[in-house]
């Protein structure tokens, strides 16, 4: 089982949750079993897996890019002092905050002993399993209990083994906060470092209240519990944080000299790497480094995107390519999107369809899921070629397609990007619903994997599932799990006009494929999601009436 798979499922599921189905056979009353069931029921995102994934998707972590922070007076006061409970690292898009967070997490983890522990979370706007306060707190809880097993008592004490459920509410972020704070308070370490990266990507209306709780509770134990947050400039943080001497800020913009030095080091690394491939020679290599540094404006991401484009550019065209590209991420994205529009009409339509779909989906797509969501031609090679043409916005990592950076998604969601995408045909949530239902209707059947007995156990079933079956399940994953969530985004008036719930495409699907759909949930090890989906459909049906 790799870190990129869900615990409890092995069908190439997206990084995020760590859970498995809980059935009667696992019900037990000893502490070890109850602890395991509590975590399975809580469905915590695995921050360690996310950190590993981020390191794989970005360039090799270089200590020079964040080492200056270790010597920063504000950081040292937070790290070593007894009065500062919170440090906020603030900087614009592409300034290297996430890689800095990874570096600081690993630096603190290397230094820690039995007297300290590090827990952390990485918010990701494009993944709805990683962009809520509920997810943040669950992820912090999982990292804590994985290092300090005795803290599982805070979950166990809330579990009702007789009824196989939590005896107290754990569904809201505020209820989860009480559990987290109880764990932090009970932890017998002298220091607990709590780090949340990219807080601005958390799509939750409770951010301000969350920050107030951090400060209010943090003031009680500033020596023991140390919070570190990173984000782009965030209005809620500006209003709430830095109100007293117990909180400090490191602004990347105010440390532009350090950032410039780090970017210069990064440019040298990237050009030297490209030189092995494109054979620039010493003189051209120096010119490329100079031109990149002059236009980078202290932004790692700009350098990364430009160097990605240089991979397939001949050496004699490399300098002119850099000179032709504008500085700044927004202008860069403008140029690239307009260049995409210059292709063949059918190709351009496909580029725009893919990008618009990526903006609407609830998590990064696997390559084999793209046809069911977008309606584009199937075939892995076709999809890969399509993604490669849009490489400044999206990329393939492993088997997943994801945005190269949150700033790329933000640009496409902006006025200019959205106008260009929509000019090639509107593509909305309802289009995804229809595509998913069409794909499921075509593929689903009774006993989808041709298992020999209806009471086949999960363990025995796994031994029978072939590679072909795994590919089939993987292609059905997104459509099965998320079409109802897309339907929830469709205005009720549009649902009523299309008779979607009772007589339209949705009604037809439910009448003909309901049991097969539920079976697919079970095979994907996602049956709790099936319950949520059925309830959502019931609520929408009542509302439409």
């Amino acid at each position: 089982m790799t870190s990129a798979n869900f615990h409890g499922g092995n069908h190439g599921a997206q990084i995020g949750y760590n859970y498995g189905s809980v059935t009667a056979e696992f019900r037990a009353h000893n502490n070890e079993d109850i602890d395991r069931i509590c975590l399975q029921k809580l469905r915590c995102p695995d921050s360690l897996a996310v950190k590993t994934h981020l390191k794989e998707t970005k360039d090799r972590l270089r200590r020079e890019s964040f080492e200056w922070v270790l010597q920063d007076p504000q950081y040292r006061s937070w790290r070593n002092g007894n009065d500062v409970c919170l440090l906020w690292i603030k900087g614009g898009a592409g300034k290297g905050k996430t890689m800095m967070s990874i570096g600081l997490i690993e630096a603190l983890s290397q230094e820690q002993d039995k007297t300290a522990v590090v827990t952390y979370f990485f918010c990701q706007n494009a993944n709805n399993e990683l962009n809520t306060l509920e997810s943040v707190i669950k992820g912090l809880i999982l990292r804590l209990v994985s290092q300090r097993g005795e803290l599982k008592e805070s979950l166990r004490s809330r579990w009702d083994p007789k009824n196989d459920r939590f005896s107290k509410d754990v569904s809201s972020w505020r209820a989860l906060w009480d559990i987290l704070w109880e764990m932090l308070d009970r932890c017998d370490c002298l220091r607990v470092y709590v780090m949340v990266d990219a807080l601005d990507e958390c799509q939750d209306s409770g951010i301000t209240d969350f920050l107030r709780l951090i400060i209010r509770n943090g003031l009680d134990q500033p020596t023991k519990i140390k919070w570190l947050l990173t984000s782009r400039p965030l209005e809620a943080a500006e209003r709430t944080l830095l109100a007293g001497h117990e909180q400090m800020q490191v602004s990347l913009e105010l440390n532009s000299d350090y950032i410039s030095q780090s970017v210069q080091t990064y440019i040298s690394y990237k050009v030297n790497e490209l030189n092995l491939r494109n054979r620039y020679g010493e003189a051209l290599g120096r010119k490329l480094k100079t031109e990149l540094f002059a236009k980078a404006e202290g932004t790692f991401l700009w350098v990364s995107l430009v160097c990605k484009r240089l991979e397939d550019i001949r050496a004699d065209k490399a300098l002119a390519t850099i000179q032709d590209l504008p500085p700044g991420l927004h202008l860069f994205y403008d140029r690239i999107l307009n260049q995409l529009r210059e292709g063949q009409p059918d190709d351009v339509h496909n580029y725009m369809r893919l990008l618009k779909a990526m903006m609407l989906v609830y998590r990064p797509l696997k390559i084999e899921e793209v046809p069911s969501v977008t309606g584009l031609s199937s075939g892995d090679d076709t999809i890969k070629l399509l993604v490669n043409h849009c490489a400044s916005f999206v990329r393939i990592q492993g088997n997943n397609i994801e945005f190269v950076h949150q700033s790329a998604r933000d640009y496409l969601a902006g006025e200019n990007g959205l106008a260009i995408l929509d000019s090639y045909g509107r593509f909305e949530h309802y289009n995804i619903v229809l595509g998913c239902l069409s794909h499921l209707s075509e593929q689903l059947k009774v006993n989808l994997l041709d298992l020999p007995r209806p009471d086949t156990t999960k363990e025995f079933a796994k031994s029978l599932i072939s590679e072909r079956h795994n590919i089939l399940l993987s292609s059905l994953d997104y459509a099965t799990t998320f079409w109802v969530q897309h339907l929830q985004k469709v205005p009720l008036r549009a649902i009523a006009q299309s008779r979607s719930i009772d007589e339209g495409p949705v009604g037809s699907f439910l009448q003909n494929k309901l049991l097969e759909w539920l079976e697919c949930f079970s095979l994907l090890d996602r049956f709790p999601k099936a319950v949520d989906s059925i309830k959502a459909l019931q609520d929408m049906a009542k509302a439409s009436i």
Side-chain angles (χ1 to χ4, degrees):
M1 181 75 66
T2 68
S3 61
N5 289 327
F6 289 128
H7 179 71
N10 192 23
H11 307 306
Q14 184 60 34
I15 282 180
Y17 280 51
N18 186 303
Y19 68 93
S21 297
V22 180
T23 57
E25 64 185 287
F26 293 118
R27 292 179 187 171
H29 298 280
N30 66 69
N31 286 348
E32 184 178 343
D33 284 340
I34 292 175
D35 288 343
R36 183 173 64 253
I37 294 170
C38 284
L39 289 173
Q40 290 171 342
K41 285 285 191 179
L42 205 58
R43 294 185 285 176
C44 298
D46 187 349
S47 300
L48 176 60
V50 175
K51 181 168 76 72
T52 301
H53 175 72
L54 287 169
K55 288 186 69 174
E56 291 172 350
T57 61
K58 296 178 181 288
D59 290 307
R60 183 166 60 90
L61 180 63
R62 300 181 65 79
R63 192 174 178 86
E64 302 97 309
S65 65
F66 69 89
E67 193 168 34
W68 65 271
V69 179
L70 301 177
Q71 308 305 320
D72 182 86
Q74 282 79 14
Y75 175 84
R76 292 169 69 87
S77 293
W78 170 81
R79 167 74 175 83
N80 303 317
N82 295 324
D83 301 321
V84 180
C85 65
L86 182 142
L87 180 67
W88 177 31
I89 298 179
K90 178 181 73 170
K95 297 293 184 180
K97 297 183 295 299
T98 295
M99 292 309 289
M100 184 179 294
S101 294
I102 294 173
L104 294 178
I105 288 168
E106 295 187 347
L108 288 170
S109 298
Q110 289 172 359
E111 297 170 10
Q112 78 181 65
D113 51 29
K114 293 182 179 180
T115 65
V117 66
V118 182
T119 183
Y120 52 86
F121 189 83
F122 296 88
C123 299
Q124 293 185 13
N125 176 267
N127 190 333
N128 76 326
E129 295 167 350
L130 302 174
N131 67 3
T132 66
L133 288 175
E134 179 184 339
S135 299
V136 171
I137 299 172
K138 285 181 178 180
L140 294 174
I141 287 173
L142 181 61
R143 291 307 307 144
L144 265 180
V145 300
S146 66
Q147 298 170 82
R148 291 291 187 271
E150 68 274 10
L151 299 181
K152 294 175 183 176
E153 168 62 26
S154 294
L155 292 174
R156 193 187 317 134
S157 65
R158 291 169 169 83
W159 183 254
D160 177 3
K162 183 177 295 185
N163 295 303
D164 191 34
R165 66 186 182 189
F166 283 103
S167 58
K168 298 181 179 179
D169 173 49
V170 295
S171 60
S172 69
W173 75 262
R174 291 177 182 276
L176 290 164
W177 170 269
D178 292 339
I179 298 173
L180 174 64
W181 189 254
E182 180 181 302
M183 289 181 173
L184 294 173
D185 185 55
R186 292 181 56 205
C187 186
D188 60 1
C189 297
L190 295 178
R191 288 276 166 85
V192 183
Y193 298 102
V194 187
M195 304 177 67
V196 181
D197 178 64
L199 190 61
D200 55 292
E201 295 190 31
C202 181
Q203 301 299 300
D204 204 300
S205 59
I207 285 290
T208 300
D209 290 339
F210 176 70
L211 295 175
R212 285 173 180 159
L213 283 173
I214 289 176
I215 293 172
R216 187 181 70 191
N217 292 23
L219 291 177
D220 295 336
Q221 302 188 55
T223 301
K224 175 183 176 182
I225 302 172
K226 302 283 190 177
W227 287 83
L228 191 153
L229 311 176
T230 76
S231 75
R232 285 186 272 184
L234 186 63
E235 184 179 353
E238 297 284 0
R239 291 196 308 265
T240 309
L241 303 182
L242 311 179
H245 69 277
E246 302 87 0
Q247 305 103 46
M248 288 187 171
Q249 173 186 240
V250 175
S251 170
L252 301 188
E253 278 73 21
L254 295 180
N255 287 275
S256 57
D257 289 345
Y258 291 116
I259 298 297
S260 293
Q261 292 172 18
S262 299
V263 169
Q264 194 163 28
T265 301
Y266 179 65
I267 288 171
S268 293
Y269 164 70
K270 293 298 293 180
V271 172
N272 291 340
E273 187 179 60
L274 284 168
N275 186 41
L276 296 175
R277 175 179 183 142
N278 296 336
R279 302 185 182 278
Y280 295 139
E282 187 176 343
L284 178 57
R286 282 198 303 269
K287 291 180 180 178
L288 296 178
K289 292 175 185 178
T290 300
E291 191 67 25
L292 284 168
F293 184 72
K295 303 183 80 170
E297 297 182 345
T299 304
F300 290 92
L301 179 61
W302 188 92
V303 176
S304 177
L305 293 173
V306 173
C307 289
K308 176 67 177 176
R309 291 183 67 80
L310 292 178
E311 288 180 0
D312 299 316
I313 301 294
R314 290 184 355 223
D316 60 331
K317 302 288 186 181
L319 186 59
T321 298
I322 299 173
Q323 292 170 338
D324 183 55
L325 291 170
L329 289 174
H330 192 279
L331 293 175
F332 176 87
Y333 290 138
D334 260 342
R335 177 70 58 83
I336 300 306
L337 190 58
N338 281 303
Q339 287 178 353
L340 283 178
R341 300 172 71 185
E342 296 171 1
Q344 295 295 318
D346 288 347
D347 292 337
V348 176
H349 174 270
N350 291 343
Y351 302 152
M352 302 306 167
R353 172 66 61 87
L354 174 67
L355 293 176
K356 188 62 182 291
M358 289 298 298
M359 292 172 58
L360 297 174
V361 293
Y362 290 101
R363 63 155 170 78
L365 293 175
K366 291 172 283 188
I367 293 171
E368 57 270 20
E369 293 171 332
V370 172
S372 66
V373 174
T374 64
L376 298 173
S377 299
S378 59
D380 289 1
D381 291 340
T382 302
I383 301 302
K384 288 177 182 178
L385 187 62
L386 189 59
V387 174
N388 287 337
H389 275 97
C390 302
S392 293
F393 294 102
V394 292
R395 66 185 169 200
I396 296 174
Q397 181 64 31
N399 194 44
N400 295 323
I401 302 170
E402 57 188 27
F403 281 104
V404 297
H405 192 265
Q406 177 62 25
S407 62
R409 191 177 189 275
D410 290 344
Y411 167 80
L412 293 173
E415 183 177 352
N416 188 52
L418 203 56
I420 292 175
L421 293 181
D422 286 343
S423 68
Y424 289 88
R426 296 187 67 82
F427 184 79
E428 306 295 347
H429 286 282
Y430 192 53
N431 300 100
I432 293 181
V433 172
L434 296 178
C436 290
L437 293 182
S438 174
H439 184 69
L440 291 172
S441 296
E442 181 181 330
Q443 297 293 330
L444 293 181
K445 66 173 186 175
V446 175
N447 194 9
L448 181 64
L449 303 187
D450 301 316
L451 298 177
R453 290 164 34 196
D455 61 343
T456 300
T457 65
K458 183 193 306 180
E459 289 71 22
F460 184 56
K462 285 182 179 178
S463 69
L464 299 175
I465 295 176
S466 66
E467 182 62 25
R468 178 178 61 84
H469 286 143
N470 273 323
I471 293 173
L472 173 61
L473 283 175
S474 188
S475 72
L476 295 170
D477 191 347
Y478 190 90
T480 297
T481 310
F482 288 102
W483 73 262
V484 174
Q485 283 185 249
H486 285 286
L487 186 64
Q488 288 178 294
K489 291 291 187 179
V490 180
L492 284 176
R493 180 179 299 177
I495 292 177
Q497 289 174 347
S498 65
R499 301 179 300 172
S500 294
I501 298 298
D502 52 357
E503 300 176 27
V506 174
S508 176
F509 174 77
L510 294 176
Q511 290 173 16
N512 295 302
K513 295 290 184 178
L514 175 61
L515 294 180
E516 291 88 340
W517 178 44
L518 296 178
E519 180 196 20
C520 194
F521 268 117
S522 180
L523 292 169
L524 288 165
D525 220 355
R526 304 260 170 78
F527 209 76
K529 288 278 190 179
V531 176
D532 295 340
S533 297
I534 294 297
K535 186 179 184 305
L537 286 170
Q538 289 176 328
D539 292 342
M540 282 187 285
K542 292 176 183 177
S544 66
I545 294 172

